[in-house]
Amino acid sequence: MSTTLNAPGRIAETLKNIGVNEENSGVSTGNVWLRGEGGVLPSHSPVDGALIGTVRGTSRTEYEKSIAVAQSAFAEWRSWPAPKRGEIVRQFGDELRKHKADLGKLVSYEMGKSYQEGLGEVQEMIDICDFAVGLSRQLHGLTMHSERPDHRMYEQWHPIGPVGIITAFNFPVAVWSWNTALAWVCGNVCVWKPSEKTPLCSIACQRIIAEVFKRNGVPEGVSVLINGGREVGEWLSHDERIPLVSATGSTRMGRAVSATVGQRLGRSLLELGGNNAIIITDKADLDMSLIGCVFGAVGTAGQRCTTTRRLIIHEKVYDAFATKLKKAYAQLRIGDPLNEANHVGPLIDKAAVAAYEQALDAAVQQGGRILVEGGVLAGGDHASGCYVRPAIVEARPDMPIVQEETFAPILYLLRYSGDVAEAIAIQNGVKQGLSSSIMTLDLREAERFLGAAGSDCGIANVNIGTSGAEIGGAFGGEKETGGGRESGSDAWKAYMRRQTNTINYGSTLPLAQGIKFDL
């Protein structure tokens, strides 16, 4: 057996429904599952601490075999017409609709986010499939006028080859789909190295897409799964056969991937850390603002790259808004994320809990004042030791801990007293640049925030929170967030190579720039 399942009754039927069984290892080239001769990956649920199962990871020999199969598949897959590739992705979206409840439940139980957020993550997968289907008929190039008579110039886009995808635990299925749906319609094949903390989610996804591929005669190797530890991601990063590595995770991890891939002149698409802020001006609708701020700060227990970590509040409304926040936090229910009455689930593991505690200690030591007490919950429904109370800290922008991203539900409140330019400067005064928001009913403030001298983030919102991006827009950030873009808009171009073509349909061969070369 490649995978050992010890799943408690609450999840056993779910695993069965989406095809995760003891015949599956963590290594697959599509419909073929390899033995998994690498290390063992245990999957513990942070919900109750139960061991869901153990998964066999990828050995170096199996990695080499998988990449060879992917290369062979690419030679065929790139020749399929793009709309036909889009039809495969359309069917994948239909299968996800059938399995939405089960896959959402697995995401919730293995990762710890609420069941509603688990369902939302699967819906993101469905949405990107819909987007990619339309895109498959719109991979447009450009036509340009030539300076030479009887010549035509144009640009076209071609697939690049096997795309390596490294994903994080906090979105164990959606981020993979953002990359694969686009990469597949562009004619590429995909090699997925998921987080070792959520291996069962990856097996479920591979089982779902493999059924679609099998029905349609898609070549083995278009979807490759290589579970494993850090070393597997390093194999991808060093592999010259992988022209693009798309990596989601910490800034530290992104630096390593970028340096390794760049050294071999490959491409990297990086989605890294966020230290996201919402500006609350004295012209904001405070009741509406409260919803975006609270969900942004505590959704997924603060484990989103778009989590709201800083509130920059004008002094005229500071006390009133802080009071509203404290009242809202007092109503939060923390517990089993599969119970839809709860708002906040667990952190991913005890290492994350330790980081949370260290950050709160540092905030106090650096002069912060606790407004809403944090702490670790224990016993009863919190017996896994991974549940913490969302905390609010009154802080200063220059405190070192405020400059960092802690993947936990800690919200820092920062005052400003001047105009919106002061608030924007505070917001931009961190190394990360993913998501940002302003709450204001003043058109001038909103436009300044969105202008060239405004937010320096990849995402800038007005009167909504920092989390909850839609599929249609390109997702990503600047500075230490990595600069990559996934999902909508023209993000598809990251997965292709541009080619400029010139056709001479005349009877002579004039040279560019009027150069003469007579024979």
Side-chain angles (χ1 to χ4, degrees), residues 41-176:
L41 304 173
S43 176
H44 288 91
S45 172
V47 175
D48 52 19
L51 177 65
I52 312 174
T54 58
V55 175
R56 297 290 304 189
T58 311
S59 68
R60 186 59 196 245
T61 299
E62 289 173 321
Y63 172 84
E64 293 295 335
K65 181 178 180 179
S66 298
I67 298 302
V69 174
Q71 287 182 295
S72 178
F74 174 61
E76 178 181 344
W77 181 243
R78 65 185 175 186
S79 298
W80 286 40
K84 187 175 179 182
R85 297 192 296 256
E87 167 60 17
I88 304 303
V89 173
R90 185 195 67 77
Q91 293 181 36
F92 181 40
D94 285 347
E95 288 300 312
L96 288 170
R97 288 176 171 89
K98 295 177 186 177
H99 295 289
K100 180 177 178 179
D102 285 316
L103 186 54
K105 185 176 182 180
L106 176 59
V107 167
S108 176
Y109 188 65
E110 189 174 30
M111 182 267 150
K113 65 176 60 176
S114 74
Y115 179 53
Q116 286 300 317
E117 289 184 82
L119 292 175
E121 183 166 349
V122 181
Q123 186 60 49
E124 286 190 34
M125 302 176 76
I126 294 168
D127 292 344
I128 195 62
C129 286
D130 289 348
F131 181 91
V133 172
L135 177 65
S136 69
R137 294 180 182 270
Q138 300 181 74
L139 300 174
H140 301 311
L142 296 172
T143 299
M144 295 156 285
H145 289 282
S146 172
E147 67 183 49
R148 290 167 285 184
D150 299 333
H151 281 61
R152 179 167 67 89
M153 293 178 63
Y154 66 98
E155 288 180 352
Q156 59 179 330
W157 296 82
H158 296 301
I160 56 175
V163 172
I165 303 168
I166 300 172
T167 58
F169 73 86
N170 59 330
F171 280 85
V173 296
V175 173
W176 168 73

Side-chain angles (χ1 to χ4, degrees), residues 421-472:
E422 179 188 349
I424 292 170
I426 294 171
Q427 182 217 270
N428 292 347
V430 295
K431 294 180 180 179
Q432 308 85 359
L434 179 52
S435 188
S436 59
S437 298
I438 188 170
M439 298 295 183
T440 182
L441 299 180
D442 186 301
L443 178 62
R444 288 179 176 175
E445 288 185 331
E447 290 296 337
R448 285 187 179 183
F449 179 74
L450 300 176
S455 170
D456 63 2
C457 296
I459 299 169
N461 300 323
V462 176
N463 291 329
I464 64 171
T466 58
S467 60
E470 294 185 30
I471 286 300

Side-chain angles (χ1 to χ4, degrees), residues 390-445:
I392 299 178
V393 181
E394 194 172 58
R396 301 185 317 276
D398 62 345
M399 288 167 52
I401 193 63
V402 175
Q403 298 285 314
E404 299 176 10
E405 177 191 43
T406 302
F407 233 48
I410 302 174
L411 181 63
Y412 300 108
L413 303 194
L414 313 172
R415 292 177 185 260
Y416 79 102
S417 58
D419 65 9
V420 73
E422 179 188 349
I424 292 170
I426 294 171
Q427 182 217 270
N428 292 347
V430 295
K431 294 180 180 179
Q432 308 85 359
L434 179 52
S435 188
S436 59
S437 298
I438 188 170
M439 298 295 183
T440 182
L441 299 180
D442 186 301
L443 178 62
R444 288 179 176 175
E445 288 185 331

Side-chain angles (χ1 to χ4, degrees), residues 18 92 95-96 99 103 204-212:
I18 48 182
F92 181 40
E95 288 300 312
L96 288 170
H99 295 289
L103 186 54
C205 290
Q206 185 76 341
R207 289 284 296 181
I208 293 170
I209 191 59
E211 290 298 314
V212 175

Side-chain angles (χ1 to χ4, degrees), residues 262-304:
Q263 190 173 31
R264 60 178 176 85
L265 298 182
R267 300 191 211 171
S268 56
L269 194 167
L270 302 175
E271 299 289 354
L272 310 176
N275 192 351
N276 315 294
I278 298 178
I279 296 172
I280 311 290
T281 81
D282 58 333
K283 302 176 184 68
D285 180 326
L286 298 187
D287 290 333
M288 185 176 71
S289 301
L290 184 67
I291 299 171
C293 292
V294 174
F295 176 74
V298 307
T300 323
Q303 297 172 116
R304 290 178 175 229

